[in-house]
Amino acid sequence: MMLQVMPQKLKLTNDRLLKALSCQNTGRPPVWLMRQAGRYMPEYRALRAKYSFLDMCHQPELVVEITQLPLTVFGMDAAILFSDILVIPEALGLGLRFEDQVGPILERPLKTPADIAALPVLDVSDSLSYVAQSIRLLKERLEVPLLGFAGAPFTIASYMIEGGSSPALKKTKQWMLRDPVSFHRLLEKIADDTIAYLNLQIDAGVDAVQLFDSWAHVLGHVQFREFSLAYLKRIVEGLKPRNVPVILFCRGASVFAKQLAEAAPAGISLDWNTDITQMRLTIPQSIALQGNIDPDLLYAPKEVIQKELDRLITGMKGDKGFILNLGHGIHPDTPVDAVKYLIDAVKRYGD
Amino acid sequence: MMLQVMPQKLKLTNDRLLKALSCQNTGRPPVWLMRQAGRYMPEYRALRAKYSFLDMCHQPELVVEITQLPLTVFGMDAAILFSDILVIPEALGLGLRFEDQVGPILERPLKTPADIAALPVLDVSDSLSYVAQSIRLLKERLEVPLLGFAGAPFTIASYMIEGGSSPALKKTKQWMLRDPVSFHRLLEKIADDTIAYLNLQIDAGVDAVQLFDSWAHVLGHVQFREFSLAYLKRIVEGLKPRNVPVILFCRGASVFAKQLAEAAPAGISLDWNTDITQMRLTIPQSIALQGNIDPDLLYAPKEVIQKELDRLITGMKGDKGFILNLGHGIHPDTPVDAVKYLIDAVKRYGD
């Protein structure tokens, strides 16, 4: 019997995350942090002083260096590709830039259904080839699993309509409520481009992928099913032949987790509003649960961090599908010492 | 047997809300809208052009006029006192003003535990007597129940520390995590002042009260119990001898409702992330449920509003403790026509 082995995967010496994602981890939980390569690290800020954020996303050598930074300094159990969810709208020609203190700006947001119809067919192997190249370089170096990622269709659509971050998503929700037909057309287009983009990442070697539905919490439960979950399902289904684990992150997962489970992802990422041990009782044992530390906890004294970790790890003891993470991205002003303490403390829970 | 009858309550010709709050309403659900007297009404904007927001809160004749505006125009089943949750910090000397486009500012926010210790003893019958006077005047005129309200201790504490609206509540959470002892002292102080303030409102004649924990959703479930729920309970307990229904509103109630039910309030107000009919199965039948329409729904065409109402009212049919409301305050740019349509549509569901 011949097994097709991808040579770059032979280097994995730590597959704790992948074991947890198949709910077969019998040791301590794997730990990684959303946005773990970020502004809280002085090494990151030093690079950011020399390059724009977009340069850092676009240049494979920089992506490789930045992705590895937190692994070198703190030793997380997984790497996540350094990139941004908005590279898809950028590749679709909406014009992406990042402004300090403001965040992302899409210079040509969608204003009418005609703008949706005019979106180009995306050739990911052309416009997003730098991502594939970054992944290939990373896979030559990494000894831990590499996570790829993309934004979820509802979240990407909201950026494409709002033209940037806009907590109330007023334009998006008005469009959705007043013209659901064209809104669905947009979501379908993004979902299909996202499947192509994640396939590109998988071809290049990522070991798992995470979908970020960062704005889904503005939706009611009926809308969530129609405008968010349906497209998460479409992507999970679309990737199924690849047999690569998919983690679903959405803000509001404390409420929406049961619906997310219907998409049958490998894992669900939880925010900190909910008790993960209680959530475990309602989510199938075949789905890993990731979370659910409040990022603000890293402002607390070490004994408070330790107490919270004890509660969480004791509560999830014996769970083979638990991945320790924050419930949201790490804050830029997080003390480096707290991150080091957290990662070391998780490792003290043994093998 | 002598019954002590409060004469002003004799004028109530519509007690639908009070029936629902005691879970004994057999007719259509009562309807009112959070922030129903607000900027979306041209009559309100005309007054706001002449007076500052604080003048509008402080002057009983204006409070009476503004509180009644939506009842006259739309005919809701309840009035809610026109005021602001920040009149407590104002009465405690923190200096309150409202800036257009910014929101509330507390000019002397709390910075150290010594600032907490230095807070004055609050004599509500002195500094908040204008509220009692407004309520007495209103009770002479209203034919529907009048809701009083106050901010919940965690939310008020967060404004007192941040000095204004601040979605991440960074200073508040850092204080809470680094010095929980003094933070608890602040919450206790606010809770006791709030009990005194709500007793003042009850003495003056309000028929029910609502507590607003508008920032509770930033808390983890363990923190919610310790820093929010404990003080909601303290207030509900403190008011129990008055036998006036208390509604608990908190952002994140879709997650926290089961914990809120432990405080045994008369009602819980839900946001729109959750299915209220599912929530009903986990909340005791003795607790009314209020909600849970997305305020954005009022941007939708009438047929979409009608469809959502049909779903909600059919789903809660036969429930004697259902109060129809938005899941959050009405937006300032809500079309008046949509509000009129909503209220009329609820009334078409019969008696």
Side-chain angles (χ1 to χ4, degrees), chain A residues 168 170 173-174 177-178 216-223 254-256 272-276 292 294 296-297 299-301 304 308 311 331 333, chain B residues 168 170 173-174 177-178 216-223 254-256 272-276 292 294 296-297 299-301 304 308 311 331 333:
Chain A
K170 197 173 283 265
K173 288 187 76 181
Q174 290 184 353
L177 286 161
R178 292 172 182 168
H217 62 295
V218 306
L219 294 170
H221 56 108
V222 177
Q223 297 170 335
S254 286
V255 194
F256 294 135
W272 55 97
N273 287 145
T274 202
D275 183 343
I276 195 169
N292 69 340
D294 180 354
D296 287 340
L297 181 73
Y299 298 133
V304 177
E308 176 63 13
R311 199 190 53 72
H331 297 308
D333 60 351
Chain B
K170 196 173 285 266
K173 288 187 77 181
Q174 290 184 354
L177 287 161
R178 291 171 182 170
H217 62 295
V218 304
L219 295 171
H221 56 108
V222 177
Q223 299 169 334
S254 286
V255 194
F256 294 135
W272 54 98
N273 287 145
T274 201
D275 183 342
I276 195 169
N292 69 341
D294 180 355
D296 288 340
L297 180 72
Y299 298 133
V304 177
E308 175 63 12
R311 198 190 53 71
H331 297 308
D333 60 352

XYZ file of all heavy atoms in Angstrom, chain A residues 168 170 173-174 177-178 216-223 254-256 272-276 292 294 296-297 299-301 304 308 311 331 333, chain B residues 168 170 173-174 177-178 216-223 254-256 272-276 292 294 296-297 299-301 304 308 311 331 333:
562
model
N -21.482 48.986 14.434
C -22.925 48.760 14.327
C -23.305 48.107 12.992
O -24.415 47.604 12.841
C -23.684 50.067 14.494
N -24.221 49.276 10.231
C -25.517 49.808 9.834
C -25.794 49.611 8.347
O -26.857 49.117 7.957
C -25.573 51.293 10.198
C -26.973 51.858 10.220
C -26.969 53.289 10.744
C -26.813 53.356 12.238
N -28.123 53.449 12.928
N -26.340 45.850 7.556
C -27.606 45.269 7.981
C -28.776 45.876 7.214
O -29.762 45.197 6.924
C -27.764 45.421 9.496
C -26.805 44.462 10.231
C -27.032 44.440 11.717
C -28.271 43.648 12.085
N -28.488 43.672 13.557
N -28.658 47.153 6.864
C -29.732 47.746 6.055
C -29.794 47.069 4.690
O -30.869 46.749 4.189
C -29.521 49.262 5.936
C -29.771 49.972 7.273
C -29.678 51.477 7.208
O -29.307 52.042 6.192
N -30.009 52.136 8.312
N -31.335 43.614 5.117
C -32.770 43.623 5.413
C -33.590 44.117 4.223
O -34.726 43.694 4.026
C -33.058 44.516 6.624
C -32.647 43.929 7.987
C -32.528 45.029 9.039
C -33.663 42.882 8.437
N -33.008 45.032 3.441
C -33.790 45.651 2.361
C -33.619 44.936 1.031
O -34.492 45.013 0.167
C -33.386 47.129 2.220
C -33.820 47.941 3.419
C -33.261 49.351 3.369
N -33.661 50.111 4.568
C -33.143 51.283 4.922
N -32.231 51.855 4.153
N -33.546 51.891 6.018
N -20.272 38.464 13.434
C -21.529 37.704 13.422
C -22.422 38.015 14.616
O -23.638 37.803 14.567
C -21.237 36.203 13.375
N -21.839 38.558 15.681
C -22.630 38.815 16.896
C -23.670 39.917 16.704
O -24.528 40.089 17.555
C -21.705 39.174 18.051
C -20.923 40.432 17.802
N -19.989 40.525 16.807
C -20.962 41.638 18.400
C -19.471 41.742 16.817
N -20.039 42.429 17.766
N -23.608 40.663 15.630
C -24.646 41.683 15.413
C -25.928 41.058 14.861
O -26.949 41.746 14.757
C -24.185 42.810 14.450
C -22.886 43.441 14.919
C -24.076 42.304 13.017
N -25.883 39.789 14.518
C -27.033 39.149 13.876
C -27.985 38.525 14.891
O -27.553 37.977 15.904
C -26.549 38.062 12.905
C -25.756 38.562 11.698
C -25.132 37.382 10.947
C -26.658 39.363 10.767
N -29.261 38.581 14.601
C -30.232 37.800 15.340
C -30.082 36.320 14.975
O -29.425 35.977 13.992
N -30.715 35.452 15.774
C -30.512 34.016 15.579
C -31.057 33.525 14.244
O -30.472 32.629 13.625
C -31.126 33.222 16.736
C -32.581 33.511 16.953
N -33.554 32.617 16.640
C -33.202 34.624 17.415
C -34.742 33.161 16.926
N -34.543 34.365 17.403
N -32.133 34.119 13.755
C -32.687 33.710 12.460
C -31.767 34.197 11.338
O -31.449 33.456 10.399
C -34.113 34.273 12.269
C -34.649 33.900 10.889
C -35.045 33.743 13.357
N -31.311 35.447 11.470
C -30.379 36.014 10.485
C -29.054 35.264 10.498
O -28.430 35.070 9.453
C -30.093 37.484 10.831
C -31.299 38.390 10.776
C -30.990 39.760 11.374
O -30.105 39.918 12.210
N -31.739 40.758 10.937
N -20.632 32.049 22.181
C -21.288 31.574 23.406
C -22.775 31.353 23.177
O -23.403 30.543 23.842
C -21.111 32.590 24.541
O -19.794 32.550 25.036
N -23.351 32.121 22.268
C -24.765 31.941 21.919
C -24.902 31.024 20.715
O -25.798 30.192 20.661
C -25.443 33.290 21.562
C -26.955 33.135 21.541
C -25.017 34.382 22.510
N -24.007 31.173 19.740
C -24.205 30.529 18.446
C -23.539 29.151 18.325
O -23.652 28.507 17.280
C -23.672 31.432 17.322
C -24.442 32.726 17.153
C -23.778 33.935 16.995
C -25.835 32.728 17.131
C -24.484 35.122 16.824
C -26.554 33.912 16.960
C -25.870 35.118 16.812
N -15.421 34.305 25.994
C -15.296 34.056 27.442
C -16.595 34.290 28.222
O -16.596 34.198 29.443
C -14.172 34.902 28.038
C -14.313 36.372 27.755
C -14.849 37.323 28.580
C -13.916 37.064 26.566
N -14.817 38.550 27.967
C -14.253 38.420 26.732
C -13.313 36.672 25.357
C -14.011 39.388 25.747
C -13.083 37.639 24.375
C -13.420 38.959 24.580
N -17.700 34.548 27.514
C -18.965 34.751 28.224
C -19.529 33.459 28.805
O -20.355 33.482 29.699
C -20.035 35.340 27.282
C -19.805 36.792 26.927
O -20.094 37.211 25.814
N -19.280 37.571 27.856
N -19.086 32.345 28.254
C -19.720 31.085 28.586
C -18.766 30.164 29.335
O -17.549 30.307 29.247
C -20.209 30.393 27.293
O -21.225 29.471 27.622
C -19.081 29.669 26.585
N -19.314 29.227 30.066
C -18.512 28.219 30.753
C -18.259 27.081 29.763
O -19.190 26.367 29.377
C -19.291 27.726 31.981
C -18.493 26.733 32.803
O -17.500 26.180 32.293
O -18.870 26.499 33.961
N -17.021 26.910 29.361
C -16.692 25.930 28.307
C -17.048 24.506 28.753
O -17.426 23.667 27.934
C -15.200 26.056 27.891
C -14.905 25.335 26.571
C -14.268 25.577 28.987
C -13.522 25.640 25.989
N -11.119 29.471 26.445
C -11.962 30.609 26.224
C -11.592 31.684 27.236
O -12.406 32.193 27.976
C -13.450 30.242 26.214
C -14.009 29.825 27.555
O -13.274 29.435 28.453
N -15.314 29.973 27.710
N -10.471 35.262 28.580
C -10.650 36.688 28.329
C -9.274 37.315 28.058
O -8.384 37.221 28.909
C -11.275 37.299 29.596
C -11.523 38.792 29.480
O -11.121 39.405 28.468
O -12.115 39.346 30.434
N -8.325 40.174 28.404
C -8.020 41.106 29.497
C -7.350 40.401 30.678
O -6.710 41.063 31.500
C -9.297 41.790 30.000
C -9.834 42.821 29.020
O -9.058 43.290 28.161
O -11.025 43.164 29.119
N -7.531 39.077 30.781
C -6.907 38.361 31.902
C -5.393 38.594 31.924
O -4.767 38.571 32.990
C -7.197 36.856 31.807
C -6.607 36.014 32.947
C -7.377 36.239 34.249
C -6.592 34.533 32.595
N -3.857 41.210 31.679
C -3.504 42.416 32.445
C -3.407 42.104 33.945
O -2.995 42.963 34.726
C -4.567 43.514 32.279
C -4.752 44.035 30.869
C -6.027 44.171 30.329
C -3.662 44.417 30.096
C -6.213 44.674 29.049
C -3.845 44.918 28.808
C -5.128 45.041 28.295
O -5.311 45.536 27.032
N -3.869 40.927 34.336
C -3.994 40.605 35.766
C -2.658 40.131 36.341
O -1.757 39.734 35.600
C -5.056 39.529 35.950
N -2.522 40.159 37.669
C -1.327 39.591 38.306
C -1.227 38.089 38.003
O -2.234 37.436 37.713
C -1.572 39.816 39.806
C -2.666 40.826 39.899
C -3.478 40.708 38.649
N -3.601 35.557 39.534
C -4.968 35.558 38.977
C -4.996 34.772 37.665
O -5.922 33.989 37.415
C -5.472 37.015 38.769
C -6.855 37.030 38.126
C -5.488 37.762 40.102
N -7.179 31.243 37.072
C -8.106 31.075 35.952
C -7.702 29.863 35.102
O -8.558 29.074 34.672
C -8.118 32.359 35.114
C -8.955 32.315 33.854
C -10.442 32.114 34.095
O -10.898 32.238 35.248
O -11.141 31.789 33.116
N -8.704 26.699 36.904
C -10.139 26.464 36.767
C -10.457 25.856 35.403
O -11.173 24.856 35.292
C -10.885 27.794 36.946
C -12.361 27.677 37.269
C -13.069 29.025 37.180
N -12.848 29.690 35.920
C -13.379 29.318 34.769
N -14.190 28.281 34.719
N -13.106 29.974 33.661
N -4.530 41.703 22.952
C -4.477 43.170 22.862
C -3.049 43.651 22.594
O -2.091 43.087 23.130
C -4.946 43.799 24.171
C -6.364 43.506 24.517
N -7.413 43.715 23.646
C -6.929 43.018 25.648
C -8.546 43.365 24.234
N -8.282 42.940 25.442
N -1.475 46.056 23.843
C -0.753 46.512 25.035
C -0.629 45.413 26.098
O -0.400 45.698 27.272
C -1.429 47.761 25.623
C -2.873 47.500 26.030
O -3.399 46.406 25.709
O -3.476 48.388 26.671
N -14.292 48.923 25.228
C -13.463 47.831 25.740
C -13.383 47.845 27.263
O -12.954 46.857 27.863
C -12.065 47.902 25.134
N -11.343 49.101 29.291
C -10.000 48.641 29.655
C -9.635 49.027 31.089
O -9.186 48.198 31.883
C -8.986 49.222 28.663
C -7.645 48.527 28.700
C -6.747 49.031 27.586
C -7.126 48.485 26.225
N -6.368 47.273 25.862
N -11.774 47.014 33.650
C -11.423 45.603 33.819
C -10.038 45.457 34.440
O -9.798 44.525 35.212
C -11.537 44.871 32.480
C -13.012 44.701 32.093
C -13.185 43.837 30.872
C -13.016 42.371 31.194
N -13.159 41.545 29.971
N -9.143 46.371 34.122
C -7.822 46.303 34.766
C -7.968 46.540 36.270
O -7.369 45.841 37.082
C -6.869 47.311 34.125
C -6.489 46.886 32.700
C -5.461 47.791 32.049
O -5.084 48.817 32.589
N -5.008 47.399 30.870
N -9.477 43.410 37.837
C -8.571 42.259 37.895
C -7.411 42.489 38.856
O -6.901 41.554 39.463
C -8.009 41.961 36.493
C -8.992 41.321 35.512
C -8.525 41.494 34.067
C -9.162 39.827 35.821
N -6.994 43.755 38.999
C -5.798 44.036 39.798
C -6.129 44.403 41.235
O -5.311 44.221 42.133
C -4.995 45.176 39.144
C -4.368 44.745 37.841
C -3.762 45.913 37.084
N -3.214 45.467 35.808
C -2.795 46.295 34.849
N -2.855 47.614 35.033
N -2.316 45.808 33.720
N -22.349 44.663 30.726
C -22.038 43.366 31.347
C -21.467 42.350 30.362
O -20.797 41.395 30.771
C -23.292 42.801 32.008
N -21.707 42.558 29.064
C -21.263 41.570 28.075
C -19.741 41.504 27.949
O -19.228 40.586 27.325
C -21.881 41.880 26.711
C -21.466 43.218 26.179
N -21.806 44.394 26.791
C -20.718 43.553 25.106
C -21.297 45.403 26.106
N -20.634 44.917 25.092
N -19.022 42.444 28.524
C -17.552 42.346 28.451
C -17.015 41.358 29.487
O -15.819 41.056 29.484
C -16.853 43.715 28.670
C -17.367 44.750 27.681
C -16.976 44.205 30.092
N -17.866 40.879 30.357
C -17.419 40.020 31.463
C -17.440 38.541 31.082
O -18.334 38.085 30.370
C -18.315 40.229 32.684
C -18.252 41.623 33.321
C -19.339 41.788 34.374
C -16.879 41.859 33.943
N -16.475 37.809 31.596
C -16.535 36.351 31.534
C -17.605 35.850 32.492
O -18.087 36.593 33.348
N -17.966 34.571 32.332
C -19.085 34.040 33.130
C -18.781 34.014 34.624
O -19.668 34.251 35.442
C -19.470 32.639 32.640
C -18.339 31.672 32.648
N -18.244 30.658 33.547
C -17.232 31.598 31.870
C -17.126 29.980 33.310
N -16.507 30.531 32.303
N -17.517 33.793 35.001
C -17.165 33.793 36.429
C -17.199 35.226 36.973
O -17.735 35.496 38.042
C -15.764 33.164 36.645
C -15.374 33.233 38.112
C -15.752 31.721 36.158
N -16.644 36.140 36.180
C -16.666 37.552 36.554
C -18.088 38.090 36.598
O -18.423 38.914 37.453
C -15.889 38.378 35.521
C -14.425 38.017 35.392
C -13.800 38.690 34.186
O -14.472 39.012 33.206
N -12.493 38.893 34.252
N -28.518 36.948 26.240
C -28.683 35.662 25.548
C -27.792 34.596 26.168
O -28.103 33.409 26.119
C -28.327 35.792 24.062
O -29.331 36.488 23.371
N -26.659 35.005 26.721
C -25.771 34.077 27.410
C -26.072 34.048 28.906
O -26.057 32.996 29.528
C -24.284 34.480 27.238
C -23.374 33.334 27.651
C -23.982 34.942 25.844
N -26.357 35.220 29.480
C -26.408 35.336 30.937
C -27.803 35.134 31.529
O -27.973 35.207 32.749
C -25.881 36.711 31.363
C -24.411 36.925 31.073
C -23.956 38.111 30.505
C -23.472 35.942 31.384
C -22.597 38.314 30.254
C -22.118 36.136 31.130
C -21.679 37.331 30.562
N -31.247 40.068 20.790
C -31.821 39.351 19.644
C -30.957 38.188 19.154
O -31.268 37.572 18.148
C -32.103 40.325 18.495
C -30.920 41.146 18.076
C -30.084 40.902 17.027
C -30.430 42.334 18.707
N -29.106 41.857 16.972
C -29.292 42.754 17.983
C -30.839 43.103 19.801
C -28.556 43.893 18.331
C -30.102 44.231 20.147
C -28.986 44.616 19.421
N -29.863 37.884 19.876
C -29.026 36.764 19.438
C -29.696 35.414 19.674
O -29.310 34.413 19.074
C -27.697 36.753 20.198
C -26.741 37.849 19.774
O -26.010 38.379 20.602
N -26.743 38.208 18.512
N -30.662 35.380 20.569
C -31.198 34.100 21.000
C -32.653 33.948 20.562
O -33.353 34.926 20.316
C -31.093 33.985 22.527
O -31.147 32.621 22.905
C -32.209 34.754 23.227
N -33.106 32.715 20.497
C -34.505 32.432 20.198
C -35.270 32.461 21.525
O -35.079 31.614 22.387
C -34.600 31.047 19.540
C -36.011 30.710 19.121
O -36.969 31.349 19.618
O -36.174 29.795 18.297
N -36.144 33.443 21.679
C -36.834 33.639 22.967
C -37.696 32.421 23.318
O -37.863 32.092 24.499
C -37.656 34.955 22.941
C -38.079 35.387 24.356
C -38.850 34.856 22.010
C -38.649 36.808 24.424
N -37.682 40.342 21.736
C -36.254 40.463 21.580
C -35.952 40.817 20.124
O -35.184 40.184 19.437
C -35.504 39.213 22.072
C -35.709 37.978 21.239
O -36.657 37.865 20.463
N -34.781 37.047 21.356
N -34.451 42.870 17.068
C -33.267 43.629 16.656
C -33.696 45.061 16.301
O -34.540 45.247 15.422
C -32.675 42.923 15.428
C -31.436 43.609 14.878
O -31.071 44.690 15.368
O -30.844 43.030 13.934
N -32.374 47.084 14.477
C -32.154 47.291 13.041
C -33.349 46.842 12.200
O -33.485 47.262 11.050
C -30.912 46.523 12.564
C -29.621 47.151 13.057
O -29.632 48.339 13.424
O -28.591 46.453 13.075
N -34.190 45.972 12.757
C -35.356 45.506 11.996
C -36.219 46.694 11.544
O -36.890 46.622 10.514
C -36.204 44.544 12.841
C -37.447 43.986 12.148
C -37.065 42.964 11.078
C -38.429 43.380 13.131
N -35.340 49.295 10.223
C -34.888 49.823 8.928
C -35.494 49.021 7.771
O -35.325 49.399 6.608
C -33.368 49.737 8.793
C -32.569 50.529 9.800
C -31.493 49.957 10.472
C -32.863 51.870 10.055
C -30.731 50.690 11.373
C -32.111 52.604 10.963
C -31.049 52.004 11.619
O -30.299 52.718 12.507
N -36.108 47.896 8.070
C -36.562 46.982 7.016
C -37.915 47.411 6.460
O -38.648 48.183 7.086
C -36.654 45.564 7.583
N -38.255 46.899 5.280
C -39.594 47.149 4.732
C -40.659 46.558 5.665
O -40.394 45.626 6.425
C -39.580 46.400 3.392
C -38.147 46.118 3.085
C -37.430 46.068 4.393
N -41.197 42.831 6.036
C -40.161 42.118 6.800
C -40.424 42.279 8.309
O -40.301 41.327 9.088
C -38.748 42.630 6.425
C -37.670 41.951 7.265
C -38.485 42.414 4.935
N -41.320 39.135 10.920
C -40.571 38.903 12.157
C -41.521 38.942 13.366
O -41.411 38.123 14.289
C -39.470 39.962 12.290
C -38.682 39.930 13.577
C -37.885 38.652 13.787
O -37.755 37.870 12.837
O -37.421 38.442 14.934
N -43.486 35.720 13.501
C -42.658 34.640 14.027
C -42.585 34.724 15.557
O -42.786 33.749 16.276
C -41.250 34.741 13.424
C -40.416 33.483 13.524
C -38.970 33.727 13.136
N -38.373 34.832 13.856
C -38.047 34.815 15.149
N -38.251 33.733 15.864
N -37.529 35.882 15.719
N -32.668 53.131 17.635
C -31.650 53.994 17.017
C -32.213 55.380 16.718
O -33.374 55.507 16.312
C -31.166 53.383 15.697
C -30.494 52.060 15.844
N -29.461 51.833 16.728
C -30.700 50.879 15.215
C -29.070 50.572 16.630
N -29.804 49.966 15.724
N -31.832 57.191 14.181
C -32.253 57.392 12.789
C -33.342 56.401 12.362
O -33.561 56.180 11.171
C -31.044 57.311 11.847
C -30.345 55.952 11.931
O -30.697 55.147 12.826
O -29.448 55.700 11.107
